[in-house]
Amino acid sequence: MCGIVGYVGDSKSLEVLLGGLKRLEYRGYDSAGVAVLDADGHMATRKRAGKLQVLVDDLTDRPIANGATGIGHTRWATHGGPTDRNAHPHLGDDGKLALIHNGIIENFSELKQELLDSGATFTSETDTEVAALLVGREYDETHDLTESLRRVVARLKGAFTLLVMHEDQPGVVVGARRNSPLVIGLGDGENFLGSDVAAFVEFTRRAVAIGQDQIVTIRTDSVVVTDFDGNPVETEEFEIAWDASASDKGGWSSFMAKEISEEPEAVANTLLGRVHDGIVTLKELEPIGDDVLAGIDRIVLIACGTAAYAGMLGKYAIEQWSRIPVDVELSHEFRYRNPIINERTLVISISQSGETMDTLMAVKYAMEHNARVLSVCNTQGATIPRESHAVVYTHAGPEVAVASTKAFVAQVTALYLIGLHLARVRETLTDAEIRANVAELQAVPDKIAEVLRVSQAEIGQLAHWMTDTQSVLFLGRNVGYPVALEGALKLKELAYIHAEGFAAGELKHGPIALIEPGQVVIVVVPSPRDPDSLHPKVVSNIQEIRARGARVIAIAEKGDASVLPFADEVIPIPLAGHLFEPFLAVVPLHIFGMELASAKGLDVDQPRNLAKSVTVE
Ligand code: M6R
């Protein structure tokens, strides 16, 4: 999970590389480096531990010549700590070849031994340096950068995107990918490579995704893609649907603050073009086919982290509407337990980045075992949709903050749309019922906007009072349970506070022992209006914890007076149907995590030890 940029063009490499790395920094931020080939054919490299700004400051103090060819890297450490020496690029034996890498080379130990035996000297503890030394040696033999990289990738095991450049090859950058992302940006007299389109969206909106096990060679006037055997590959150009400003902070204090403010439009944009006359039709499901969907007897939702909580909500809606049994599994658990799936199983992967390695491996497994595989993804050209039968894109726009917020509500929207599509195909809901649910969905953006308007300041204040809090528990029932889990995850990853989400019904089976005077418990309270509502049970749960001294913050429907006597604070949310309440209840929890982290002086966009997309297993 590193960010990679490559450039050939005019002599502005450094601007392109540093701008691209800034936009990719969400992928890893423990060190950064660049290599640039100047007009005289001299390669300069600079790499520094720490965030990108450390490198930028260093380049300001001790400039290097700019050039027309360059590669840049921002790292999330796997092999070797975050030091200057372990930062990328890494060099070949003679220092003329520079290489950057995202992923893990699993057989690096044996390759390293082979290189040591032949007299190589290592300057870092990384797996990457093995590849740099090997490609450098191949180049000395072939004098062909593409062929050299091709020979080396044939020997590598694991996941990698590699970019290389060589002093003797000005105007050439070569990339290769396996199980790790790489996208081409097509410019005018210049071309780009990046881990995702954010790397170059400032300069071009024309992009091409590179498939699995492919090699690309970019020059100023050409882009050539082949497979690992050297056979030409047909590529498909796509237009990047958002512009550079979408991945800027745009005046907000953090990307996370901006992205929370975009939650209403993330839902609205994901609905766009998918509802006709009040009925959901997902054209994207055509590659699977309505006849196949009609015969599906089981659905498995696979995802990690926040995306898995979106999946849990998807389960409630899809099961209720389509009457197909739905399981939700963490991708890494699903992949390695020999799950029972077949051609009548629909596997739905959920991933904002479309690059999460655990989910990618689970998708491949499902494909190999004949399941129909549908991806819900937010990133055009990402690997997971390319490995699936069909994709429903969420249109949340680029999500830069490590903590997922707007992507979550967009994922839930997409899953609800899939549920309503299945209900139509299988005739488990009438048109009138579908229309009623669609109307609820269409009302969500305005209601989220209301939550943002009403609760932002109050939650900010609450968070400021809680900076010394050591532990927060979250409770919810039914669709409130995934919301509780999501609230707890946000607090852990952003504010580094111990937090746990529980199904409220589970409380008496153990967790209630944690309640002591002053323990903060945030409770997601369902609406009292629904005749089948679990409201009375949740209110009883609140009373049980209050009796033991808990300090209760309730997220409850506005006007719900029944919680007032038992809650220390109430955050009101607008009225919504049962399945649609999570869209509204989750927003205060996103704000809460962000505000508490900010109040503690922490970096909300780049929490410690994390990276935005987890591209290693
Ligand atoms: O890109 P993905 O949606 O596949 O990412 C999945 C998780 O890594 C991600 O949701 C993670 O849990 C977030 N940091 C949560 O805020």
Side-chain angles (χ1 to χ4, degrees):
M1 40 225 241
C2 304
I4 276 182
V5 198
Y7 176 71
V8 289
D10 56 28
S11 49
K12 62 170 188 215
S13 281
L14 270 178
E15 291 88 285
V16 174
L17 298 180
L18 294 175
L21 291 180
K22 184 78 212 142
R23 292 179 200 283
L24 292 182
E25 206 182 6
Y26 69 88
R27 301 179 65 88
Y29 35 83
D30 59 35
S31 61
V34 290
V36 175
L37 205 50
D38 70 19
D40 299 326
H42 295 127
M43 191 167 66
T45 59
R46 182 67 51 77
K47 41 195 215 170
R48 292 299 309 271
K51 292 197 175 177
L52 179 64
Q53 194 56 44
V54 178
L55 174 70
V56 173
D57 292 345
D58 191 354
L59 286 167
T60 310
D61 294 345
R62 302 182 299 133
I64 57 174
N66 213 337
T69 312
I71 54 179
H73 188 268
T74 178
R75 179 169 187 249
W76 185 83
T78 56
H79 294 61
T83 61
D84 287 355
R85 283 193 315 144
N86 290 335
H88 301 207
H90 291 281
L91 305 178
D93 292 290
D94 58 6
K96 292 174 87 174
L97 174 131
L99 177 145
I100 53 179
H101 168 218
N102 173 30
I104 290 181
I105 298 169
E106 286 170 1
N107 57 336
F108 91 100
S109 299
E110 60 202 70
L111 295 170
K112 184 167 183 174
Q113 194 53 54
E114 178 190 310
L115 283 158
L116 286 169
D117 293 346
S118 67
T121 313
F122 282 81
T123 59
S124 78
E125 302 142 292
T126 64
D127 51 341
T128 306
E129 196 173 5
V130 162
L133 290 164
L134 288 173
V135 182
R137 288 174 176 210
E138 292 292 351
Y139 183 83
D140 292 342
E141 240 179 64
T142 62
H143 299 288
D144 178 332
L145 203 48
T146 310
E147 177 57 21
S148 306
L149 186 57
R150 183 173 295 126
R151 287 184 182 187
V152 171
V153 293
R155 304 190 61 201
L156 303 182
K157 294 195 179 127
F160 48 82
T161 299
L162 298 167
L163 294 195
V164 287
M165 56 184 270
H166 195 286
E167 252 187 27
D168 297 345
Q169 298 279 326
V172 183
V173 173
V174 185
R177 69 159 291 235
R178 168 178 290 165
N179 291 336
S180 227
L182 185 59
V183 188
I184 307 167
L186 302 172
D188 190 8
E190 57 186 359
N191 286 304
F192 309 80
L193 292 171
S195 299
D196 76 39
V197 296
F200 47 73
V201 67
E202 194 180 339
F203 302 100
T204 181
R205 307 266 296 267
R206 294 172 57 211
V208 172
I210 302 174
Q212 183 71 332
D213 287 1
Q214 292 179 0
I215 293 203
V216 55
T217 306
I218 58 166
R219 295 183 167 81
T220 52
D221 56 355
S222 69
V223 170
V224 178
V225 184
T226 62
D227 63 19
F228 276 4
D229 296 323
N231 304 306
V233 167
E234 287 231 4
T235 57
E236 210 177 305
E237 188 179 322
F238 66 89
E239 196 189 324
I240 302 166
W242 42 273
D243 62 26
S245 63
S247 60
D248 285 338
K249 273 190 212 163
W252 291 85
S253 57
S254 64
F255 280 108
M256 189 176 177
K258 176 181 178 233
E259 288 159 11
I260 290 174
S261 81
E262 291 169 345
E263 290 196 37
E265 64 194 80
V267 174
N269 290 343
T270 301
L271 291 172
L272 273 185
R274 288 165 169 162
V275 175
H276 306 279
D277 188 24
I279 301 289
V280 176
T281 311
L282 295 175
K283 284 206 181 60
E284 301 94 323
L285 298 190
E286 277 169 14
I288 296 180
D290 283 353
D291 48 337
V292 172
L293 292 174
I296 289 296
D297 59 16
R298 183 169 162 245
I299 294 177
V300 185
L301 301 174
I302 50 171
C304 300
T306 282
Y309 302 147
M312 289 172 75
L313 289 172
K315 171 186 162 80
Y316 286 101
I318 296 171
E319 256 184 12
Q320 172 148 334
W321 292 335
S322 72
R323 307 313 297 158
I324 307 171
V326 181
D327 294 316
V328 187
E329 274 201 66
L330 295 169
S331 310
H332 35 89
E333 290 297 318
F334 169 84
R335 167 62 187 86
Y336 295 105
R337 66 165 186 84
N338 195 11
I340 301 165
I341 50 173
N342 56 39
E343 64 289 344
R344 289 168 76 84
T345 313
L346 176 65
V347 170
I348 306 180
S349 82
I350 311 156
S351 174
Q352 186 286 130
S353 60
E355 300 294 346
T356 298
M357 184 59 75
D358 296 305
T359 304
L360 174 60
M361 288 303 155
V363 162
K364 287 187 172 193
Y365 182 91
M367 291 290 280
E368 282 158 20
H369 290 76
N370 301 321
R372 303 288 96 195
V373 180
L374 168 64
S375 292
V376 171
C377 181
N378 193 44
T379 312
Q380 283 174 291
T383 307
I384 292 172
R386 293 170 65 85
E387 298 285 329
S388 311
H389 292 114
V391 52
V392 173
Y393 279 109
T394 49
H395 297 303
E399 193 180 64
V400 176
V402 164
S404 193
T405 53
K406 62 176 180 173
F408 173 79
V409 290
Q411 285 161 347
V412 179
T413 307
L415 292 167
Y416 280 26
L417 287 171
I418 292 167
L420 291 170
H421 181 102
L422 290 170
R424 177 177 59 75
V425 170
R426 299 167 72 100
E427 299 178 2
T428 45
L429 290 184
T430 63
D431 280 2
E433 286 166 329
I434 291 175
R435 285 200 176 93
N437 284 302
V438 165
E440 281 271 13
L441 212 40
Q442 287 171 326
V444 164
D446 283 348
K447 292 181 184 178
I448 296 181
E450 184 183 333
V451 178
L452 290 171
R453 264 196 318 274
V454 170
S455 57
Q456 198 124 24
E458 187 184 342
I459 297 168
Q461 209 166 38
L462 198 61
H464 274 80
W465 293 331
M466 287 179 61
T467 47
D468 293 331
T469 304
Q470 301 295 313
S471 160
V472 179
L473 305 182
F474 292 75
L475 297 183
R477 270 180 188 257
N478 194 268
V479 289
Y481 174 40
V483 175
L485 293 172
E486 167 66 358
L489 176 59
K490 287 294 167 285
L491 214 53
K492 281 184 256 209
E493 70 177 331
L494 292 164
Y496 316 150
I497 288 177
H498 169 255
E500 276 194 73
F502 296 107
E506 194 64 10
L507 203 61
K508 292 189 278 290
H509 301 279
I512 200 163
L514 290 169
I515 306 293
E516 54 188 9
Q519 170 69 51
V520 178
V521 184
I522 299 186
V523 187
V524 181
V525 184
S527 163
R529 289 171 302 117
D530 182 347
D532 298 327
S533 172
L534 292 164
H535 182 270
K537 294 192 194 310
V538 174
V539 173
S540 301
N541 295 141
I542 293 178
Q543 284 166 314
E544 287 154 12
I545 53 175
R546 270 283 287 226
R548 289 159 179 85
R551 180 169 169 217
V552 174
I553 301 169
I555 298 177
E557 190 174 275
K558 67 180 172 195
D560 178 2
S562 56
V563 290
L564 293 178
F566 314 113
D568 297 272
E569 310 282 339
V570 179
I571 315 262
I573 57 171
L575 280 58
H578 158 69
L579 285 170
F580 302 89
E581 287 167 9
F583 284 105
L584 313 177
V586 81
V587 177
L589 300 185
H590 286 165
I591 301 171
F592 183 64
M594 176 183 71
E595 292 288 354
L596 193 41
S598 303
K600 289 180 75 175
L602 300 170
D603 182 339
V604 298
D605 286 336
Q606 297 180 339
R608 70 184 178 201
N609 304 338
L610 291 170
K612 178 72 179 162
S613 55
V614 182
T615 56
V616 291
E617 275 190 284

